[in-house]
Each structure stands twice: as C-alpha cells, then as structure tokens.
Amino acid sequence: MRQRANAPTRQPVVITIDGPAGVGKSTAAKQLASHLGLIYLDTGATYRALAYAACQAGVDPRVDVKRLTTLARRLPLELLPQPSGVVQVRLNGLDITKAIRTETMSEAAAHLSRHPQVRRIMVQRQRAWAHRRGVVAEGRDTGSVVFPRAHYKFFLDAEPRVRARRRQRELFQLSGQRPSLQRIQRQLHFRDGVDRTRSIGALVKPRGAVAVNTSHLTARQVLHAILHYIPESRPPSTVHRPPLQTQKRKIRRFSQQERRHYIRR
C-alpha cells in the first residue's frame, strides 16, 4: 500500500523539507536530523558539487548536456556528516564544502539543474544515498520528485527581504563576502524563476506537505513547529505517531493564534 505523507510508520523514516533559498531549510533539516538521530541529506549540495566539477572541467552548465550527464554519472562525490552538524562535501577526496557556496556556483547549479537528463541521474544518486537509512532530506523537489513517498513532508517559505538578509549572513559566514541586499534579492528572484519553471523537479509545495512560514520565527521555533507533526520516539530511525492528545501535550509549542498564522496545510 502506498504510504500517505505525514502518516504514522514503523519503517525507516524519510522526512523532506523543501522551499526556496533563504527560508531556513538547511538549519531546520540539520537540527531535525540531529534531534531524531537521522542522516542529513543536502540535495542542493549535490548539484553544487556537480557545478563545481563542470567548471573545473570547462563544461558549460547551460548547454553542454552530454558532458554534464557523463560527469553526473561518474561524479566521485562524498557527503560526510561532521560532529558540528556541517556536512563535509568532498569531490575526489578534495574538501569543497566552502567552494560550492559561492554565488557563482549557485548560478551554475541553477543552470545545470534545468536539464532533465542531469536531474534524473542526480535523483537516482540521491535515492541511493538514502537507501535503507532514516534521512532528513532538504532541497527543492525532495518531497515531490526524489522521495514522493516520504512519510513526513514540509515546505518552508519566507518574505523576500527576510530571505535576502539570511542569505547575506550565510555568505558572510562562509566566505567573508557581504553583497548588497538588492543584489541578493535579484539573484534570489532569478533562482526562484529557474526553480519554479523547469520541466522536471520544479519548486512546488509537495502534495501532503505542511507549510511553515519562517519569516518571524527563530530556528528553534521552526524546529518546534516541525516537531509538532513528528513525535519523538526511539529507536531514532523509526517513527510511530502516538495518540493525538498525547502528542499535543508533549511537544506543543505555539498558541492556537500562532499556529494559524505560521503553519498551514
């Protein structure tokens, strides 16, 4: 029988968190994975790593589909979780964690991710990484394409200016660069257009996903909002939903007014 999204299960759990850039997906996914003892899978990092490999090989991410698909199949990529919660991205043994977080790599990843042939290969690889493991996967199509039968799905969003400020802080922490908010907003607008209009893996709210507006929430509040729908249990790689009233008493964090404002189906 097909699993419903956000339904009880005793199978190794797959949780997806989708949304555009700057809404707090990575922070929420890392914290949730740590909280539940699951593997964190950053699908966006796989496309950035491919973009980095393409640039190093002189492959144009906009048009050279044949060489991109060859690179995608053979990409010697490792995603290594660190005790700090950061996932180290290694390409052929080289640590490229910081190198793939530049705006140049973001734009290149946006271009190559538009090619259906490339996305099909990368989706296969992402599923292979998650095979027989409990995972929290974050990206733009994890709940709609990569893991359509995920047991719990979430879609995060935020106001454009809030997203730009968060992206600005992230860039400064990673590279010491601080582009203007106007420039970042233009880049986010471009990326949103690419993500929402591509023919495969478009950015959409997955069917059955819970939507969370993170504009005025702290990272801890976002985690609590998500945990409202995912009961804590052991062993950590399995999840079984307790009776609804018990669950509400255990992890309820928001008033009814706050839930109506920030969380919606």
Side-chain angles (χ1 to χ4, degrees), residues 9 16 21 23 32 47 55 61 75 78 81 85 96 111 143 159 195 199 209-211 221 228 238 240 249-250 260:
T9 177
T16 62
V23 297
L32 184 62
Y47 290 101
C55 291
L75 197 66
E78 295 177 282
I96 60 170
H111 283 301
E159 298 166 5
D195 290 338
S199 60
V210 173
Q221 287 173 323
H228 172 69
T238 61
H240 180 67
R249 288 196 299 270
K250 188 173 183 181
R260 285 196 295 269

Side-chain angles (χ1 to χ4, degrees), residues 168-261:
Q168 187 184 57
R169 286 196 300 267
E170 180 186 24
L171 287 171
F172 182 74
Q173 291 169 357
L174 288 170
S175 63
Q177 301 175 357
R178 196 189 292 273
S180 69
L181 286 177
Q182 292 78 9
R183 178 182 173 186
I184 294 176
Q185 283 185 290
R186 287 195 300 269
Q187 292 169 336
L188 290 177
H189 181 73
F190 163 77
R191 185 65 193 267
D192 287 350
V194 171
D195 290 338
R196 295 181 187 277
T197 59
R198 59 178 171 241
S199 60
I200 183 172
L203 173 63
V204 296
K205 178 189 171 187
R207 182 179 181 183
V210 173
V212 180
N213 187 321
T214 69
S215 297
H216 306 291
L217 300 181
T218 65
R220 182 176 292 274
Q221 287 173 323
V222 173
L223 176 63
H224 290 168
I226 291 173
L227 284 173
H228 172 69
Y229 295 92
I230 305 176
E232 300 165 290
S233 64
R234 294 294 182 268
S237 61
T238 61
V239 172
H240 180 67
R241 187 184 295 274
L244 185 59
Q245 294 303 315
T246 301
Q247 178 189 339
K248 285 186 176 179
R249 288 196 299 270
K250 188 173 183 181
I251 61 176
R252 180 174 178 269
R253 306 284 200 237
F254 290 87
S255 69
Q256 293 297 326
Q257 183 178 3
E258 288 172 322
R259 283 189 188 157
R260 285 196 295 269
H261 182 70

Side-chain angles (χ1 to χ4, degrees), residues 97-172:
T97 308
K98 290 187 176 181
I100 64 173
R101 295 296 173 181
T102 65
E103 289 306 301
T104 299
M105 290 300 103
S106 294
E107 187 172 340
H111 283 301
L112 63 82
S113 65
R114 300 182 71 174
H115 306 305
Q117 303 94 315
V118 174
R119 289 198 76 88
R120 277 193 288 268
I121 295 170
M122 297 305 291
V123 165
Q124 290 171 2
R125 299 198 62 170
Q126 291 158 8
R127 288 172 178 165
W129 277 310
H131 185 56
R132 294 182 181 178
R133 301 180 187 179
V135 299
V136 178
E138 62 107 342
R140 287 167 173 77
D141 65 345
T142 60
S144 57
V145 175
V146 186
F147 303 108
R149 298 190 181 191
H151 307 105
Y152 298 90
K153 300 180 182 182
F154 299 89
F155 187 84
L156 274 53
D157 207 349
E159 298 166 5
R161 192 164 182 82
V162 173
R163 292 171 55 200
R165 284 199 300 267
R166 291 172 177 171
R167 180 62 177 153
Q168 187 184 57
R169 286 196 300 267
E170 180 186 24
L171 287 171
F172 182 74

Side-chain angles (χ1 to χ4, degrees), residues 22-93:
V23 297
K25 299 189 305 295
S26 297
T27 299
K30 290 173 187 175
Q31 291 183 348
L32 184 62
S34 175
H35 186 86
L36 297 177
L38 304 177
I39 300 297
Y40 165 61
L41 174 60
D42 179 2
T43 61
T46 66
Y47 290 101
R48 289 171 177 268
L50 179 58
Y52 180 89
C55 291
Q56 292 295 304
V59 178
D60 190 335
R62 296 169 297 182
V63 297
D64 203 341
V65 179
K66 184 175 181 179
R67 293 179 68 189
L68 284 171
T69 54
T70 299
L71 269 178
R73 289 192 186 96
R74 300 176 181 176
L75 197 66
L77 179 63
E78 295 177 282
L79 302 176
L80 307 174
Q82 304 298 301
S84 63
V86 173
V87 174
Q88 187 181 74
V89 183
R90 298 182 70 87
L91 185 65
N92 202 24

